[in-house]
Amino acid sequence: GPSGFKLFRLPMPKPGKVLGIIGQNAMGKTTIAKILANELKPNLCTNNQVPTEDIIRFFRGTELQPYLTKLYKGEVKVVHKPQYIELIPMYVKGTVKDVLLKISNNEDEVRRISEKLNLTHLLNRDVDKLSGGELQRLAVAAALLRRADTYIFDEPTTHLDIIERLRVAEAIKDITGENRYVIVIDHDLAVLDYLADQVVILYGKPGAYGIVSHIRGAREGINEYLNGYLTSENMLIRREPIKFRVKPAPRPAHKEKVLLEWTDIVKKLGDFELEVKAGSIHRGEVIGVLGPNGIGKTTFARLIVNELEPDSGVVIPHGEVRISYKPQYVRDLAVKYGDKTVREYLAMTAGSDFSAKVVWPDLANGLSLTPLMDRELSSLSGGELQRVVVAGSLLRDAEVYLLDEPMAYLDIEQRVRVASVIRRIIEERDVVALVIEHDITMIDYLSTTVMVFLGEPGKHGVAQPPTDLRTGMNEFLRNQDVTFRREPQVGRPRINKKNSYLDRLQREIGEYYYYISTEETEKLE
């Protein structure tokens, strides 16, 4: 309708190939998913409902015509894994096994998919007791168990650690045969690059219009997206390219700037035990916290903020240490404060003078908050809510900013903006940020230091002391059994295939993340 959102073109998935869709939020990615799943019919830019024959006629001469013909006749069965998995417990009750057996009564198939997605130990757990990452794996398993012709996965890696992301990617790859259509929408470019055969890029103006680019190969498409220039369309979609550092800076450690230190700490919670090795954090550091789900990262955060008492060991603050905490799941806040506007929420969180603070213009522009100010929290999407909650945390006056998964539901542009704003605030205020995040490329982009958590998820976690990026990344990825190479054009990290030449070479020389060959370094320079 007038002043409504307009979507130009639709991508045509190819049978037997994985099609990735990338682009900013509010550009029409979920709308595309709904149209291809027959949950929404195109109105061809009229205000009326359009007969299916007219839609099919509109797309005649394109590869979409036969697909839509079969879709509207009910000859194509579509499975659509939705974006917001936190809502699942509201609609689904019972244990994980009950849920999966309702979808497929083949117990062997349920067991096979559960093993593939590491759900076996959760089969007897109630759905409402699952964490975000566990709910995500359940949603993917439920989609894979439904026999369909088209599979659409909307953000299947949110809340998952790097190993779980690769598990999900492999499971999705396994269903691409037999002429099935597979479409994946995701913001983790390293995983999308690993998973997709082809990509389309959405560009335009968020909330106003979105244009679907031509299909291109995954590597070429992601490089063009990061460069901000689409060659075949001759279209500049971003003024500045997004570049990743190829060599990490050494850890800046000034003894006189220590803000917090701790001795060896042990904390038991039920069957889980966390061991924290003695360490310290310094003013001006952005510490990326790396580790699988259920390994004790949030428990460590709670020890630092004095929410939990250690069983042994102490946390020693140097002077007054105020902590601003951004929780992992923001949807709970929308339920709790749903009737408040964004303006009221920020005033409640950061004080009524929040708009007078020095960092407010940076946050308002960088996170596009101005159009949201008079909207109620309950009406916001996951990405919008995430931006508001991150802004609320960064507006507080604190010495330690503890941000638990601040990048979930954000697109790559917003992730880069959030990273830049966090870095600027930490440098200017000479304070510390601890960022718990599973998007490893963003940890690299954002951090000056990393803290690695190893051990057995759900049973025993060991927190290593903060260390420099190269040491930390190598230790974490060696433990996760994954290597990354660098893309010569933009320096972005790419996941190596297991036992490929580069994978074997990098393991041999012990360089799991910051590896780039000499010829490629020359190309970059």
Side-chain angles (χ1 to χ4, degrees):
S3 305
F5 180 80
K6 195 180 257 194
L7 179 66
F8 294 90
R9 291 206 290 263
L10 283 173
M12 181 54 226
K14 299 271 193 301
K17 303 264 187 196
V18 178
L19 175 69
I21 301 180
I22 48 179
Q24 285 179 260
N25 284 331
M27 208 76 97
K29 298 189 297 295
T30 301
T31 304
I32 289 170
K34 286 181 174 177
I35 290 171
L36 295 178
N38 199 16
E39 293 167 20
L40 185 69
K41 286 195 168 60
N43 62 7
L44 308 184
C45 298
T46 67
N47 290 330
N48 312 316
Q49 212 169 347
V50 178
T52 52
E53 306 80 55
D54 291 0
I55 298 170
I56 291 164
R57 196 178 303 118
F58 181 83
F59 287 102
R60 71 184 163 199
T62 72
E63 290 172 299
L64 268 170
Q65 186 186 11
Y67 177 83
L68 291 175
T69 306
K70 286 191 283 186
L71 183 70
Y72 295 145
K73 282 182 180 172
E75 293 170 10
V76 173
K77 186 185 174 190
V78 183
V79 168
H80 181 194
K81 194 235 40 113
Q83 183 179 8
Y84 301 122
I85 42 92
E86 292 98 327
L87 305 175
I88 291 172
M90 291 167 65
Y91 304 102
V92 178
K93 302 294 176 215
T95 64
V96 170
K97 191 173 184 178
D98 296 338
V99 171
L100 296 179
L101 284 173
K102 272 181 198 165
I103 296 162
S104 169
N105 52 17
N106 183 337
E107 288 207 24
D108 291 340
E109 185 70 358
V110 167
R111 196 177 303 113
R112 187 181 69 81
I113 293 288
S114 300
E115 281 171 10
K116 196 176 274 190
L117 294 174
N118 193 25
L119 284 169
T120 314
H121 64 292
L122 299 171
L123 287 174
N124 295 318
R125 191 175 294 178
D126 283 336
V127 171
D128 58 2
K129 299 284 191 302
L130 298 181
S131 69
E134 290 162 352
L135 281 172
Q136 186 70 268
R137 274 146 47 211
L138 172 61
V140 171
L144 295 175
L145 281 170
R146 291 187 166 96
R147 308 304 293 168
D149 306 295
T150 301
Y151 290 87
I152 301 171
F153 296 91
D154 201 342
E155 298 196 25
T157 63
T158 308
H159 301 311
L160 299 184
D161 62 48
I162 182 68
I163 287 302
E164 289 167 344
R165 288 178 185 211
L166 289 176
R167 270 199 203 103
V168 165
E170 292 292 352
I172 292 172
K173 272 185 171 184
D174 286 350
I175 58 161
T176 52
E178 301 171 30
N179 284 340
R180 292 196 186 103
Y181 299 96
V182 180
I183 299 155
V184 178
I185 300 166
D186 212 313
H187 297 303
D188 185 332
L189 297 185
V191 173
L192 199 64
D193 173 53
Y194 181 78
L195 172 59
D197 301 298
Q198 301 170 316
V199 296
V200 292
I201 297 159
L202 262 79
Y203 59 98
K205 187 171 182 186
Y209 67 91
I211 303 169
V212 179
S213 76
H214 303 311
I215 285 182
R216 55 234 315 138
R219 176 186 174 184
E220 174 206 355
I222 292 171
N223 285 351
E224 286 192 5
Y225 179 62
L226 290 173
N227 277 325
Y229 175 67
L230 308 184
T231 317
S232 57
E233 282 87 354
N234 190 22
M235 180 62 66
L236 193 70
I237 61 169
R238 194 186 312 104
R239 287 173 188 271
E240 293 290 324
I242 295 170
K243 290 193 172 171
F244 296 90
R245 55 183 165 204
V246 180
K247 293 176 184 169
R251 183 188 182 192
H254 307 289
K255 284 189 176 167
E256 70 280 5
K257 284 191 163 189
V258 172
L259 179 66
L260 266 177
E261 60 183 318
W262 54 89
T263 61
D264 285 352
I265 289 173
V266 175
K267 178 67 188 173
K268 279 191 173 180
L269 288 170
D271 297 334
F272 178 75
E273 182 180 72
L274 174 66
E275 279 181 63
V276 184
K277 294 190 176 174
S280 60
I281 52 181
H282 306 83
R283 288 181 179 275
E285 285 190 314
V286 179
I287 300 165
V289 181
L290 283 168
N293 284 322
I295 203 77
K297 301 187 297 293
T298 306
T299 304
F300 171 72
R302 291 174 69 199
L303 286 166
I304 280 205
V305 301
N306 287 330
E307 262 188 38
L308 290 176
E309 279 287 320
D311 297 338
S312 66
V314 286
V315 177
I316 308 155
H318 287 234
E320 188 196 358
V321 179
R322 291 166 299 171
I323 293 175
S324 173
Y325 177 50
K326 184 249 146 203
Q328 183 178 8
Y329 304 120
V330 293
R331 188 56 66 187
D332 299 345
L333 292 171
V335 173
K336 193 174 177 184
Y337 304 114
D339 57 342
K340 289 194 182 300
T341 64
V342 170
R343 194 183 307 280
E344 288 166 345
Y345 171 77
L346 292 176
M348 179 186 75
T349 309
S352 54
D353 63 339
F354 71 87
S355 57
K357 295 193 177 185
V358 180
V359 294
W360 172 246
D362 273 351
L363 288 168
N365 295 328
L367 303 183
S368 311
L369 295 177
T370 314
L372 307 177
M373 295 305 283
D374 295 313
R375 284 177 57 189
E376 290 186 352
L377 258 58
S378 56
S379 71
L380 301 181
S381 71
E384 290 166 342
L385 195 57
Q386 187 74 274
R387 277 149 44 204
V388 169
V389 177
V390 167
S393 304
L394 293 174
L395 281 166
R396 290 191 202 108
D397 293 321
E399 280 70 46
V400 176
Y401 291 88
L402 191 54
L403 307 169
D404 203 341
E405 293 199 36
M407 309 292 184
Y409 299 124
L410 300 186
D411 61 46
I412 184 71
E413 323 260 341
Q414 291 163 347
R415 288 177 188 203
V416 167
R417 283 193 213 116
V418 166
S420 305
V421 170
I422 291 170
R423 274 207 306 235
R424 198 175 315 138
I425 286 172
I426 300 314
E427 281 170 18
E428 287 173 2
R429 291 187 184 167
D430 208 23
V431 290
V432 167
L434 275 160
V435 183
I436 300 170
E437 183 54 56
H438 293 309
D439 184 342
I440 202 161
T441 55
M442 279 298 118
I443 285 280
D444 170 40
Y445 190 87
L446 170 70
S447 310
T448 59
T449 309
V450 290
M451 191 169 171
V452 177
F453 282 67
L454 306 173
E456 192 178 349
K459 292 185 179 173
H460 182 230
V462 181
Q464 306 293 326
T467 183
D468 65 280
L469 280 161
R470 177 169 258 125
T471 307
M473 287 291 198
N474 281 338
E475 186 174 19
F476 175 66
L477 293 173
R478 186 183 300 113
N479 191 265
Q480 300 296 312
D481 203 25
V482 183
T483 60
F484 283 74
R485 67 191 182 282
R486 290 305 171 122
E487 174 60 41
Q489 283 182 298
V490 286
R492 70 180 169 90
R494 301 182 71 197
I495 300 166
N496 287 324
K497 291 213 163 41
K498 202 73 169 277
N499 294 322
S500 63
Y501 168 71
L502 273 181
D503 183 56
R504 296 195 310 272
L505 172 68
Q506 287 176 230
R507 284 168 197 277
E508 206 173 296
I509 62 174
E511 192 63 90
Y512 283 70
Y513 192 71
Y514 293 103
Y515 174 80
I516 190 159
S517 68
T518 43
E519 307 100 72
E520 290 178 345
T521 311
E522 282 161 19
K523 283 183 205 169
L524 274 170
E525 285 166 356

